[in-house]
């Protein structure tokens, strides 16, 4: 299995080479920039100090900025389970989309098909656990919203990229917006930590942490409020 790509190297990576074994995560991003041209300018500009390993353009075409065995600067301050600063343990994939600040739109089928090909290749090559396929907002929930609620996590899980709950949708929708008491809310957070979300974020901004979970696993409603649907989903995922 393979994929087609063009190479456009970026200076925004760490010089020290890493081992194949240290690659444990795939991190998905949206670019948050309106055009591919501007995105490529930014991700190859030494001043910006940001780069992902890969970009998937609007057309579905793939660009390589940094080879896998070098640490690209895409995640920033981040945490997941016992990992901090996930750049050193991850491969970053940017997918073109103007994002929430501009004109957040559905990802195209061409983009998603390319993402599936690329992800399958990387998952196999680096033996990446399906629970280690994450969005930027999962690991930096206070700063980031990408790839956001329009990203097709459920569809990707069906293709063995990442994972999803196995609950009945019609049953879930009935408890959407149903309130949770304090005890249930605390349970929700214990499930969240088991999934991998960092404990550090709760005290700083509980609402943004809840929203990150919702963008990932309950994309129909991003309320920042724990309801019974969120509780059931979080429990099912642990
Ligand atoms: Zn990002």
């Amino acid at each position: 299995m393979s994929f087609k790509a063009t190479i456009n190297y970026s200076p925004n990576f760490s010089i020290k080479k890493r081992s194949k074994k240290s690659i444990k995560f795939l991190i998905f991003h949206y670019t948050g920039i309106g055009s591919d041209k501007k995105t490529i300018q930014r991700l190859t500009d030494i001043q910006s100090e940001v780069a992902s390993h890969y970009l998937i353009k609007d057309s579905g075409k793939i660009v390589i900025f940094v080879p896998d065995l070098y640490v690209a600067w895409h995640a920033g301050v981040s945490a997941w389970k016992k990992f901090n600063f996930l750049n050193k343990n991850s491969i970053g994939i940017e997918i073109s989309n103007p994002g929430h600040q501009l004109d957040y739109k559905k990802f195209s089928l061409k983009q998603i098909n390319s993402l599936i090909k690329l992800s399958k290749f990387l998952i196999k090559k680096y033996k990446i656990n399906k629970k280690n396929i994450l969005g930027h907002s999962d690991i930096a929930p206070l700063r980031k919203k990408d790839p956001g609620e329009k990203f097709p996590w459920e569809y990707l899980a069906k293709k063995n990229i990442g994972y999803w709950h196995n609950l009945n949708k019609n049953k879930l929708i009935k408890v959407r917006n149903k309130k949770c008491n304090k005890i249930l809310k605390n349970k929700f957070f214990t499930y969240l930590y088991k999934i991998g979300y960092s404990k550090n974020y709760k005290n700083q901004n509980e609402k943004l942490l809840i929203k990150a979970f919702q963008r990932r696993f309950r994309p129909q409603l991003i309320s920042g409020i724990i309801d019974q649907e969120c509780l059931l989903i979080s429990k099912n995922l642990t």
Side-chain angles (χ1 to χ4, degrees):
M1 200 195 310
S2 185
F3 61 91
K4 272 194 225 163
T6 55
I7 293 173
N8 193 337
Y9 286 136
S10 168
N12 302 326
F13 66 94
S14 308
I15 302 290
K16 196 171 170 264
K17 209 169 178 180
R18 61 180 169 180
S19 69
K20 203 174 160 183
K21 260 195 341 205
S22 66
I23 298 172
K24 295 183 189 305
F25 296 90
L26 289 188
I27 309 293
F28 296 152
H29 304 258
Y30 65 49
T31 54
I33 298 173
S35 82
D36 285 331
K37 198 180 163 203
K38 279 189 195 161
T39 297
I40 292 168
Q41 272 170 5
R42 179 166 159 78
L43 298 184
T44 55
D45 175 5
I46 196 162
Q47 306 281 349
S48 78
E49 300 188 327
V50 290
S52 52
H53 294 89
Y54 300 93
L55 165 69
I56 297 177
K57 298 207 261 185
D58 276 326
S59 61
K61 291 206 167 118
I62 300 172
V63 183
I64 299 174
F65 296 113
V66 177
D68 296 348
L69 294 184
Y70 290 91
V71 174
W73 303 338
H74 61 94
V77 177
S78 51
W80 187 259
K81 292 186 177 164
K82 63 181 187 346
F83 295 86
N84 284 302
F85 294 97
L86 272 85
N87 280 344
K88 58 185 185 292
N89 297 107
S90 67
I91 287 178
I93 302 174
E94 290 273 0
I95 304 136
S96 278
N97 192 307
H100 293 88
Q101 303 267 41
L102 298 169
D103 177 25
Y104 187 41
K105 61 182 187 189
K106 254 186 87 174
F107 294 87
S108 74
L109 197 59
K110 280 181 180 166
Q111 286 180 312
I112 297 308
N113 285 338
S114 292
L115 181 64
I116 290 170
K117 261 192 203 164
L118 175 60
S119 299
K120 287 200 170 194
F121 174 86
L122 296 170
I123 289 165
K124 198 172 170 203
K125 185 165 185 183
Y126 301 109
K127 300 187 179 69
I128 293 170
N129 187 309
K130 64 180 175 184
K131 294 193 172 180
N132 285 353
I133 295 170
L134 305 171
H136 199 185
S137 61
D138 291 320
I139 60 172
L142 307 190
R143 297 187 297 118
K144 296 293 175 179
K145 295 178 183 169
D146 63 312
E149 61 277 12
K150 293 186 183 184
F151 190 74
W153 286 110
E154 184 180 4
Y155 177 70
L156 291 175
K158 285 187 188 133
K159 305 283 178 187
N160 275 318
I161 296 161
Y163 73 126
W164 198 250
H165 64 75
N166 55 15
L167 298 166
N168 180 298
K169 276 189 182 172
N170 297 321
K171 284 183 186 162
L172 278 178
I173 206 166
K174 286 181 189 147
V175 294
R176 186 173 300 164
N177 275 322
K178 283 217 168 139
K179 283 182 181 160
C180 286
N181 63 24
K182 183 111 199 186
I183 295 165
L184 294 179
K185 281 181 184 169
N186 285 333
K187 270 197 169 167
F188 171 78
F189 285 112
T190 41
Y191 297 140
L192 228 58
Y193 305 147
K194 270 192 198 161
I195 292 167
Y197 289 92
S198 172
K199 284 182 188 177
N200 305 338
Y201 297 126
K202 182 174 178 276
N203 297 333
Q204 294 176 58
N205 195 326
E206 196 176 294
K207 204 163 179 167
L208 288 178
L209 179 58
I210 299 163
K211 281 188 177 178
F213 169 82
Q214 291 171 337
R215 287 204 162 92
R216 176 67 192 275
F217 292 111
R218 206 279 299 273
Q220 298 87 350
L221 177 65
I222 316 301
S223 59
I225 296 164
I226 305 160
D227 60 28
Q228 290 187 25
E229 186 183 27
C230 293
L231 181 71
L232 288 178
I233 293 171
S234 62
K235 186 179 178 189
N236 184 264
L237 293 168
T238 55

